[in-house]
């Protein structure tokens, strides 16, 4: 798989600026760059870049994608999906290659989208609800009892794809 160079802007790219909000479907043969907000669907035969200020609520289909902002929706990247350290992704992903940088937040399932390996690999870990505390360090259990906020449940994903 080739390394992808994101950020090489051309005159043919579709660009949603920081102060713009679009509702609808983008269908493009060229790169799509989102620095603003988009709600709907993104389909590109090239690369997608969601910038650090980008907020997307959409189903995404691209050859390669780099997420630096926030995405709510499923992502299908034909070759490579990069979830940057500043990114927040809520949704399921399908891709041949996945890179998640330290600090990124990803909540969903990942699936190998390789045409040669139709099985794909998904590993999920079910956890019991835990108690959330306000983030004030203390070794005093009485202090923690008074700071209980709510119960929350989460499903961490253990990502283990062997070549």
């Amino acid at each position: 798989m080739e390394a992808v160079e994101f950020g090489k802007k051309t005159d043919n790219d579709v660009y949603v600026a920081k102060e713009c909000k679009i509702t609808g479907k983008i269908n493009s043969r060229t790169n799509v760059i989102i620095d603003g907000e988009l709600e709907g669907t993104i389909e590109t035969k090239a690369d997608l870049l969601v910038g650090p200020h980008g907020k997307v609520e959409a189903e995404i289909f691209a050859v390669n994608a780099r997420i630096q902002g926030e995405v709510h929706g499923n992502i299908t990247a034909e070759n490579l999906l990069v979830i940057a350290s500043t990114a927040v992704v809520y949704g399921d992903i399908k891709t041949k290659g996945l890179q998640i940088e330290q600090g990124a937040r990803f909540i969903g399932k990942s699936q190998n989208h390789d045409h040669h390996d139709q099985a794909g690999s998904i590993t999920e870990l079910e956890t019991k609800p835990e108690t959330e505390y306000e983030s004030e360090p203390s070794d005093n259990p009485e202090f923690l009892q008074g700071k209980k906020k709510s119960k929350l449940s989460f499903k961490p994903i253990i990502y283990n794809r062997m070549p």
Side-chain angles (χ1 to χ4, degrees), residues 1-159:
M1 187 175 332
E2 296 178 28
V4 179
E5 288 189 50
F6 293 97
K8 281 192 164 185
K9 192 170 186 246
T10 68
D11 291 338
N12 296 328
D13 291 346
V14 174
Y15 180 69
V16 178
K18 196 186 290 189
E19 299 297 320
C20 291
K21 182 174 181 177
I22 293 179
T23 302
K25 180 177 182 177
I26 292 179
N27 192 341
S28 175
R29 292 180 182 265
T30 61
N31 296 333
V32 176
I33 302 167
I34 310 290
D35 279 330
E37 295 182 37
L38 185 130
E39 185 178 328
T41 305
I42 301 171
E43 292 182 24
T44 179
K45 301 286 184 195
D47 298 341
L48 167 72
L49 172 63
V50 177
H53 301 287
K55 292 184 181 178
V56 175
E57 190 171 326
E59 294 292 313
I60 296 172
F61 303 92
V63 175
N64 300 294
R66 178 172 176 84
I67 311 299
Q68 296 173 324
E70 188 171 332
V71 172
H72 294 261
N74 298 332
I75 303 171
T76 301
E78 200 173 299
N79 291 323
L80 177 64
L81 171 62
V82 178
I83 302 176
S85 62
T86 57
V88 178
V89 176
Y90 296 95
D92 297 341
I93 56 178
K94 290 182 184 178
T95 184
K96 285 183 190 175
L98 176 62
Q99 178 182 342
I100 302 176
E101 295 178 0
Q102 184 174 353
R105 288 182 281 167
F106 165 57
I107 299 169
K109 297 177 192 170
S110 66
Q111 183 175 3
N112 186 353
H113 182 65
D114 191 348
H115 299 293
H116 303 294
D117 176 22
Q118 294 296 324
S121 74
I122 302 175
T123 306
E124 289 187 55
L125 177 65
E126 194 80 45
T127 62
K128 295 179 181 174
E130 298 291 331
T131 303
E132 179 182 327
Y133 295 97
E134 291 183 18
S135 60
E136 293 181 34
S138 175
D139 294 330
N140 183 350
E142 292 174 12
F143 174 78
L144 292 177
Q145 288 297 326
K147 292 291 185 176
K148 283 186 183 178
K149 287 173 67 179
S150 63
K151 297 247 182 198
L152 74 109
S153 176
F154 63 96
K155 282 182 160 181
I157 300 298
I158 298 174
Y159 188 74

